[in-house]
Amino acid sequence: MSDKDTKTVINNPCSECRPSAIAILKKKNQKSVSDRKITGASQITTRQSLGPVALVAILFFLWGFAYGLLDVLNKHFQEVLGITQGRGSGLAAAYFGGYFIGPLTYSGWIVRRFGFRWTFITGLCIYGVGALFFWPSAVKRSFGGFCGSMFVVGNGLSTLETSANPYISICGPPKYSEMRLNLAQAFQAIGTVVAPVLGAYAIFKNPDTAGYDSLASVQWVYLAIACFVFALAVVFYFAAIPEVTDADMADQAEQTFESTGYTDRPLRKQYTLFYGIVAQFCYVGAQVAIAGYFINYCVLIKPGFTSAQGSNQLAIAQALFAIGRFIAGGSMKVVKPRYILLLFNSMAIIFIAAAMGAKGNAGITCLSLVLFFESCIFPTIFTLSLRGLGRHTKRGSSFIVSSVCGGAVFPPMLGAVADSRGTQVAMAIPLMGFVIAWTFPLYLNLYCRRELDGFRESKVGVISVGDSENQFERKEVEVVELETVPKHRESMSR
């Protein structure tokens, strides 16, 4: 097919062959859909996406809650079980180690083979099983058992992220992808606020005199989590969740041709994606290292500061993190995401450097502000890395989620330096990660302006296809099958 034919096809998409978004939204308990089928979900408007996005946002809260508990458990296991900072980092290594295995193996395959719904359900079930494992680990007071339980939890959450992050990004108009994911992930930040408070007042209220009782509290907290996530899996089975396939994403990307210059390329030539993976790996490693040793930092630089006070201060810092996500997400309505990402990453570098030299309240304030400016980095790197992937969107998102395993690499490095040189000096480790991640938005602003800005001009999902809902309902709900999207387009142009 010639370039001229290609332009004709892209500029005149065959809306008669595309099922309606309204029809797909009305279809409940949908079985798994082949990624080679166009479902019409690529045309979902903001209003139509509110229900599915709100339901999936609950998963982000669960993720944030588990992550927030991880930071608290790290410090207090050092006290209750008598382990070093370096060994305590094994908890984070186990948790984020699951992120390396899941997305690159079974969870990435599940989302492509069975769709988002069944990936959500699978992730919730694995998460629930891991939460149940905390009970025998607490009974035996086994740090190795806790690490094993956290590894299973990490596998479950990585499976949820493999589906939830791309789903939020693509469920709705593409021009609002960054804003949508930032606002949804703000609920993850809320979970990280709740968890340290629970840890301070319920789990480890007095670890020096009630070590056994505090571990018993861990048992009951994770048992409640397991019951909740199993119930949520049932909800996702019955919920109306429109499936978005690779064919849908290719169809959507082709419709942005005039503004973005989109061309279908093989996965190995998606250079922005691979750069984003490296940036995400370094950023997540830095974020996890800071949060995991935040309480240690506070206790070190402010004499008389207790671990419980440090846990409360971590909750305040996580609240700033949540506020930052809401501010950044709202700002993306008017400010280009690539600008916001560069600004927030730059400020994170400045304040982590300041925290390395400050003392007392000044140091705690600087490190808390680092969490504020971290807020939008993960979701914005994620969505900007997926831009223009088309039919490779699901596979690309699996790769990006796997880069979260950076959280298993940086904390042990920081812990080792903290044991020998102190936590304040060890903050050079996350500083290094932020600097490497900072080069990604710099690259985007210098070399990817046209493509990224083109998606913000796209009208896909903003203006509904058709004149009325009745026009949508006249079309059949059945999906359109194709071998590959380019061949589908070629056949339509003939």
Side-chain angles (χ1 to χ4, degrees), residues 8 37 48-49 117 138 148 205 251 302 330 451 489:
T8 301
K37 296 179 179 180
Q48 293 166 342
S49 68
R117 178 194 304 277
K205 189 174 183 179
D251 176 52
K302 189 173 182 180
E451 182 180 6
R489 290 293 180 221

Side-chain angles (χ1 to χ4, degrees), residues 150-193:
M150 198 61 79
F151 177 75
V152 179
V153 168
N155 271 273
L157 290 173
S158 70
T159 302
L160 291 176
E161 282 210 66
T162 300
S163 51
N165 283 314
Y167 190 79
I168 295 289
S169 299
I170 63 183
C171 186
K175 70 178 297 181
Y176 299 131
S177 289
E178 293 88 359
M179 182 175 70
R180 198 162 49 243
L181 187 57
N182 269 277
L183 293 177
Q185 286 218 353
F187 291 94
Q188 176 263 342
I190 293 173
T192 62
V193 175

Side-chain angles (χ1 to χ4, degrees), residues 203-224:
I203 300 179
F204 294 106
K205 189 174 183 179
N206 190 2
D208 295 328
T209 60
Y212 283 95
D213 291 340
S214 61
L215 290 181
S217 298
V218 172
Q219 293 174 293
W220 290 106
V221 167
Y222 275 93
L223 178 61

